[in-house]
Amino acid sequence: MALGVAALSGTWTGSTLAFHRSSPCTPTDPDSGTGRFWVHGVFMADAGMGDLIEFSVLSGLEGPCAQRVRVVLRRQERPPPLGVGDEVRARATPLSPIEGKGAEGRALILALDSIGTVEPSRIDRLGPGPVVRFRAHLRARLRDRLGPDLGPVAEALVLAERGGVDPALRDGFARAGVVHLLAISGFHVGIVAAALLWIAARAGVPVGRRGVVSVTGTAGYVALIGAPPAALRAALILGLVLGGRWMDRSVHRIGALGAALLLILLLDPLQVAGPGFQLSFLGSLGLVVYGGRTSAERPLPGFGSLRRWLGEGLRAGVAATLFTAPVVIAHFGRLSWVGVPTTLLVSPLVALAVPGALALLLVDAVAPGLALVVSVPLTLVLGLMVGTVTRVGDLPWAWGWLPAEMGPAVAALWLAVLALNPGLGRRDNRMIVPVLLATALLAWQALPGLQNLRDARTLELLVLDVGQGDGILVRTPAHRWLMVDAGPAGAGRDAGTRVMVPALMRRGVAGLEAAVVTHPDLDHLGGLSSVLRALPVHRVLAGGRAVGRAPFREALHTARELGVPWVAVGRGDSITVDGVHFRVLHPPPPEPASSRELPVPVAGRPHAGDLPDPSDPNDLSVVLLVQYGQFSALLTGDAPISVEEELVGLYPDLLRDLEVLKVGHHGSRTSTSRALLAASTPELAVVSSGRGNRFGHPHPGVLGRLSRSGVPVWRTDRRGGLRVRASSNGDFQAVPVR
């Protein structure tokens, strides 16, 4: 009965929270047609350029997302120094979906520009409290003592503040398989608890009270850093284990883990949907089942037992990796092959850095003149840790991209191992059959992912459903991204904010190698300004004569404001990224030139804004040929039949045997000529058009020509976005975008 009541109450609470978090969140003062809005709020931490900073909204947003917002300061003229408690009014651009936070409760991320200070108002509900101000003070002291590069790393290790760590460095930790070391976890809490036990022992505290000192101090530390789920879980387990020891009771490790799980879910049932929560508990489960003793049972290894410590560390790393691999693959699509040995290398440095950073804060508060004695060795430790991780992460074979469908396959593997584990499965043989059945079902579900592994180094082409317009993303085999058009904007709907930026962020994209603008129509570049403001873009490539329209001028102004090079391209230009060739077949070159390779990054080329305006921009639409080995895709923009026939005459060999054709002008009858289809014989045609659009796209005549040529057609207006994953041998797979 107790379990039934708990299940019903948990279901009701979780459903209520899910409804609240997914309800609409709308700006109250939008900039008409720009996708931006004005927001008034208070900084909850010191605001450094590029940091992800907690920001409490006082006005400007309605809905649940207004309660959890993080902001980043834009690349602009540096605003006045902003610190915790400063109240500002700023123009905001959403960098994550604004419709609602969803089940995971992720914070809305905003980019702020046009920042202006306001007269302080009375702040009761959302103002920073003393703990927040104290944490901001500690962050400032770490940056002051360790510098702008290593200070944010120390903040992440001891204060659970990762927003200040350089994104490239965070990505390096991810590639090396040790990004978990930047997040406060059971490992960090264990170091703090072990240090407190050691201090209590040296201070002569009786054995029976050392656990009380450790648990009390650890609880205070976890409360100070905001009680992230992993740290809270570790503190609860520590309290149960040491409490049991103090009471001379035996505490089962799985029981302690389960108790911590239930307590956290009582506080927030929707935590279970977040990847951080899943990684924390699955990793802990792996350690409990296969990883040996807990840190509370043997806090610090002795130098005399180095061999045993390395063996147990290796076993613990393999166990945690095995149990967390399904979640890592499913959420992030990649897996580090060197995570376990790198963890063994870096963990001792983290074990020195965490108490070192805490000691630095203590000494800096008590005797600032002696802080240099601690900061110098701590700088060496942090520098060695960062250098090691960076070198390992830069190895080309250190990590690999895996299809998300592989997550169930790996889950099936460890479920089978768990079912046959001598310590668990054989105690109740009845459990083996259902677990093996679940394993078989998961393996069957993962078959598409297993098939994709036949060639892990693939090109990915995403034709997104942006409505009546074009929005295409290309991923190279080394996971660098390019964008071809950014979808439409207008009437309060910006495809850049609504579709393109969320699609990039869900895939962990840190920046774009290039953004290609085929021509200045609003349905192709309307979302470009939002993308430029959301992510670093190395350069914009555009047709050299397509100017004169307001959206084009706005995008050009945004690029110049942000310092993004705007490069005029034409026939004969090309770039090569990770073995993928992007060839511009049209329009004619903006300046007299034969075939030329565009350097990376491009510099010193003429701006498109300096060239005359054509009568019809479609006639000068950029036509791009994407080639990866024997695979080729033709992205035609809105080029008309006259341009297609010209290209057939100029490039008969390049256009022969296309794999994918992006149908020109959304399937208008003015494109996709018989000559092009006969010369290219594409295996798949993709039409990007909006549902029920007023132009009647795609035209029945175009669909008829494609049908008579035997070309399968994918329509985004009926089937949504399309993902094409291609191998260098020309094989490709086309599936819906999830």
Side-chain angles (χ1 to χ4, degrees):
M1 287 180 64
L3 288 175
V5 171
L8 290 174
S9 61
T11 302
W12 178 82
T13 305
S15 301
T16 303
L17 285 174
F19 175 78
H20 174 67
R21 289 183 174 180
S22 61
S23 58
C25 182
T26 56
T28 59
D29 189 13
D31 277 355
S32 178
T34 66
R36 291 175 285 180
F37 56 93
W38 289 93
V39 65
H40 172 206
V42 182
F43 285 99
M44 306 294 282
D46 291 333
M49 297 295 288
D51 290 1
L52 278 175
I53 311 150
E54 290 186 39
F55 188 77
S56 290
V57 176
L58 298 176
S59 64
L61 279 173
E62 292 180 346
C65 62
Q67 306 303 314
R68 291 187 59 194
V69 174
R70 285 185 178 268
V71 298
V72 60
L73 302 187
R74 269 298 172 203
R75 291 170 290 181
Q76 57 173 350
E77 293 185 9
R78 190 172 182 87
L82 296 169
V84 59
D86 285 344
E87 188 176 348
V88 300
R89 187 173 187 268
R91 190 168 54 179
T93 303
L95 301 187
S96 59
I98 197 173
E99 286 83 3
K101 294 193 304 181
E104 296 184 23
R106 291 178 177 172
L108 174 66
I109 301 176
L110 304 175
L112 299 185
D113 58 19
S114 304
I115 299 173
T117 57
V118 298
E119 290 295 328
S121 62
R122 180 176 177 81
I123 304 167
D124 296 323
R125 184 170 59 92
L126 295 175
V131 174
V132 173
R133 292 182 181 274
F134 182 60
R135 193 161 62 226
H137 169 73
L138 297 181
R139 291 183 65 191
R141 299 312 303 157
L142 286 174
R143 293 198 182 196
D144 183 55
R145 293 296 184 181
L146 300 175
D149 295 326
L150 296 179
V153 178
E155 296 171 19
L157 292 177
V158 298
L159 297 176
E161 292 284 355
R162 290 197 296 172
V165 180
D166 181 55
L169 180 58
R170 284 203 304 267
D171 193 57
F173 271 80
R175 293 195 303 270
V178 291
V179 71
H180 58 281
L181 295 179
L182 280 180
I184 297 292
S185 65
F187 177 65
H188 303 73
V189 174
I191 293 173
V192 173
L196 290 172
L197 285 173
W198 181 83
I199 293 173
R202 296 299 179 271
V205 176
V207 175
R209 296 183 180 178
R210 293 175 190 173
V212 177
V213 172
S214 179
V215 171
T216 304
T218 303
Y221 168 71
V222 171
L224 173 66
I225 62 176
L232 183 59
R233 180 260 309 159
L236 290 172
I237 293 176
L238 177 74
L240 291 169
V241 172
L242 292 181
R245 179 184 295 181
W246 181 61
M247 298 172 62
D248 199 23
R249 295 284 190 93
S250 176
V251 178
H252 197 286
R253 287 174 294 179
I254 292 183
L257 180 64
L261 170 67
L262 289 175
L263 289 172
I264 292 177
L265 291 183
L266 281 174
L267 298 175
D268 186 356
L270 298 187
Q271 286 281 356
V272 73
F277 184 90
Q278 296 167 10
L279 290 171
S280 172
F281 274 91
L282 286 175
S284 300
L285 182 61
L287 294 175
V288 166
V289 176
Y290 293 110
R293 302 180 183 180
T294 63
S295 59
E297 291 174 284
R298 187 175 60 254
L300 293 173
F303 290 103
S305 58
L306 181 61
R307 181 178 177 183
R308 183 181 62 182
W309 176 70
L310 286 174
E312 291 189 355
L314 181 63
R315 182 173 63 176
V318 171
T321 300
L322 177 66
F323 273 64
T324 57
V327 176
V328 172
I329 296 171
H331 283 287
F332 308 110
R334 66 178 173 181
L335 193 65
S336 174
W337 313 124
V338 296
V340 173
T342 308
T343 299
L344 287 177
L345 284 174
V346 178
S347 292
L349 298 175
V350 177
L352 292 173
V354 171
L358 294 174
L360 174 61
L361 292 173
L362 180 62
V363 172
D364 185 65
V366 176
L370 298 177
L372 191 65
V373 178
V374 183
S375 64
V376 170
L378 180 59
T379 300
L380 294 175
V381 170
L382 291 173
L384 182 59
M385 179 183 73
V386 170
T388 302
V389 170
T390 302
R391 287 181 177 273
V392 172
D394 287 340
L395 296 174
W397 44 265
W399 57 278
W401 292 98
L402 296 173
E405 297 88 350
M406 282 300 301
V410 180
L413 173 64
W414 70 254
L415 275 177
V417 173
L418 185 63
L420 300 175
N421 175 42
L424 294 177
R426 293 179 184 174
R427 291 183 180 179
D428 188 353
N429 291 329
R430 293 174 297 177
M431 289 299 298
I432 294 179
V433 174
V435 170
L436 290 181
L437 179 61
T439 299
L441 291 173
L442 286 171
W444 173 76
Q445 181 187 359
L447 280 178
L450 292 171
Q451 293 169 358
N452 287 335
L453 283 181
R454 61 187 175 184
D455 187 354
R457 295 186 62 82
T458 59
L459 169 78
E460 191 171 14
L461 182 72
L462 294 172
V463 182
L464 298 175
D465 180 11
V466 294
Q468 182 64 17
D470 278 4
I472 301 171
L473 299 174
V474 182
R475 174 185 63 78
T476 70
H479 206 79
R480 291 198 281 181
W481 291 80
L482 294 89
M483 181 180 72
V484 182
D485 290 330
R493 297 180 66 82
D494 183 341
T497 300
R498 184 175 55 88
V499 179
M500 306 303 291
V501 172
L504 290 165
M505 288 196 162
R506 280 196 296 270
R507 289 160 176 81
V509 179
L512 293 173
E513 293 299 310
V516 180
V517 178
T518 58
H519 63 295
D521 284 351
L522 189 61
D523 57 338
H524 290 254
L525 64 74
L528 178 61
S529 293
S530 298
V531 175
L532 292 176
R533 294 183 182 279
L535 293 166
V537 179
H538 290 179
R539 56 204 179 276
V540 176
L541 310 179
R545 301 176 188 172
V547 299
R549 302 191 176 191
F552 188 89
R553 291 195 299 269
E554 180 187 352
L556 182 61
H557 173 74
T558 301
R560 286 175 170 169
E561 176 190 348
L562 299 176
V564 180
W566 190 289
V567 183
V569 297
R571 182 178 300 148
D573 287 332
S574 66
I575 60 173
T576 300
V577 184
D578 305 326
V580 182
H581 303 288
F582 299 85
R583 302 179 186 273
V584 180
L585 306 186
H586 189 77
E591 60 181 16
S594 57
S595 178
R596 55 188 179 271
E597 181 81 10
L598 297 179
V600 182
V602 181
R605 299 291 306 283
H607 281 283
D610 301 329
L611 298 169
D613 185 18
S615 58
D616 185 357
N618 291 345
D619 292 339
L620 295 177
S621 181
V622 172
V623 177
L624 199 65
L625 182 67
V626 182
Q627 294 176 302
Y628 176 50
Q630 300 178 40
F631 173 85
S632 58
L634 186 65
L635 310 180
T636 57
D638 280 2
I641 288 177
S642 59
V643 171
E644 296 175 353
E645 293 175 344
E646 180 185 4
L647 296 180
V648 169
L650 290 172
Y651 304 106
D653 294 331
L654 285 179
L655 297 181
R656 184 177 296 119
D657 297 328
L658 286 177
E659 274 66 41
V660 177
L661 169 66
K662 203 289 295 183
V663 172
H665 204 175
H666 322 293
S668 166
R669 62 181 177 180
T670 61
S671 66
T672 319
S673 63
R674 293 185 180 89
L676 177 63
L677 294 177
S680 61
T681 61
E683 297 183 31
L684 176 67
V686 185
V687 180
S688 180
S689 59
R691 297 172 183 83
N693 64 85
R694 61 188 177 91
F695 307 101
H697 295 159
H699 192 273
V702 172
L703 297 177
R705 288 197 290 271
L706 290 166
S707 176
R708 287 189 293 273
S709 299
V711 183
V713 178
W714 183 287
R715 297 174 52 173
T716 61
D717 61 334
R718 292 188 174 181
R719 306 178 68 181
L722 175 71
R723 182 182 71 178
V724 175
R725 182 181 281 119
S727 303
S728 58
N729 62 5
D731 292 340
F732 69 94
Q733 181 189 41
V735 297
V737 173
R738 295 200 304 172

